[in-house]
Amino acid sequence: MTLYELLKLIHVLGAITWVGTSIEQQLVGARAMSSKERGRLAHFVDEADWVGVRIMTPAAILVVIVGILMVIESGWNFSDTWILIGIGLFILTSLNGMVFLTPQTKKLKPLIAERGEEDASVQALVKRVALASRIDLLILIAIVADMVIKPGL
């Protein structure tokens, strides 16, 4: 196994973890949002925060670091169209996470505790967070498509 192949393996495993966890969060989140079981939404929000910090963020960081090392090792160029698209999409998903998803999820936890899961303001915030997280998943899928198709080659 060459160094590039090892880096590619790590990169793909990190991407699987990152994107797979995002898909899992969509499915579990949809179940929690539609559940009538008291406390289920609050539990999901707490778990989603934990998963985001301990699984998704480290996986994303690993993917980026190893991706940079792959470009250096492979002879690809940071100016290649598909690499620029991947970087741009990564910046979009990072901004969505840092500027919207993380702060709104942290805001949601005490709001649910204070007002309850059925409160209109809680439900409105849950819907906004769910929409932003679905958009984020679409961005991640676009990144995967970009890496597979490599536009511009």
Side-chain angles (χ1 to χ4, degrees):
M1 177 179 287
T2 66
L3 176 58
Y4 177 79
E5 290 168 336
L6 177 61
L7 292 171
K8 188 174 183 180
L9 175 62
I10 295 168
H11 187 74
V12 169
L13 290 173
I16 289 168
T17 301
W18 185 13
V19 177
T21 302
S22 183
I23 292 168
E24 178 271 340
Q25 290 291 285
Q26 289 300 317
L27 297 172
V28 174
R31 287 193 69 207
M33 287 172 58
S34 66
S35 176
K36 302 296 181 206
E37 184 181 328
R38 188 167 170 77
R40 187 159 183 182
L41 182 61
H43 178 71
F44 169 73
V45 169
D46 189 49
E47 291 297 313
D49 182 43
W50 188 93
V51 166
V53 170
R54 289 171 182 80
I55 298 173
M56 294 179 77
T57 299
I61 292 167
L62 177 70
V63 166
V64 170
I65 291 170
V66 174
I68 290 167
L69 294 173
M70 285 173 59
V71 172
I72 293 166
E73 177 65 22
S74 70
W76 296 110
N77 294 303
F78 288 103
S79 60
D80 291 341
T81 302
W82 66 279
I83 293 173
L84 289 173
I85 290 169
I87 292 169
L89 291 171
F90 172 75
I91 290 169
L92 273 178
T93 187
S94 296
L95 287 173
N96 185 30
M98 289 186 295
V99 173
F100 186 79
L101 285 171
T102 299
Q104 295 304 308
T105 300
K106 293 205 183 297
K107 184 176 169 181
L108 193 53
K109 290 165 70 172
L111 192 62
I112 290 172
E114 177 187 323
R115 298 185 183 181
E117 296 175 1
E118 298 81 20
D119 181 77
S121 61
V122 168
Q123 288 298 313
L125 183 54
V126 165
K127 288 178 183 171
R128 285 194 307 272
V129 170
L131 177 62
S133 91
R134 287 184 186 118
I135 290 168
D136 199 65
L137 176 57
L138 291 175
I139 295 168
L140 294 180
I141 292 168
I143 293 170
V144 171
D146 175 59
M147 296 294 120
V148 170
I149 298 166
K150 293 180 177 50
L153 282 185

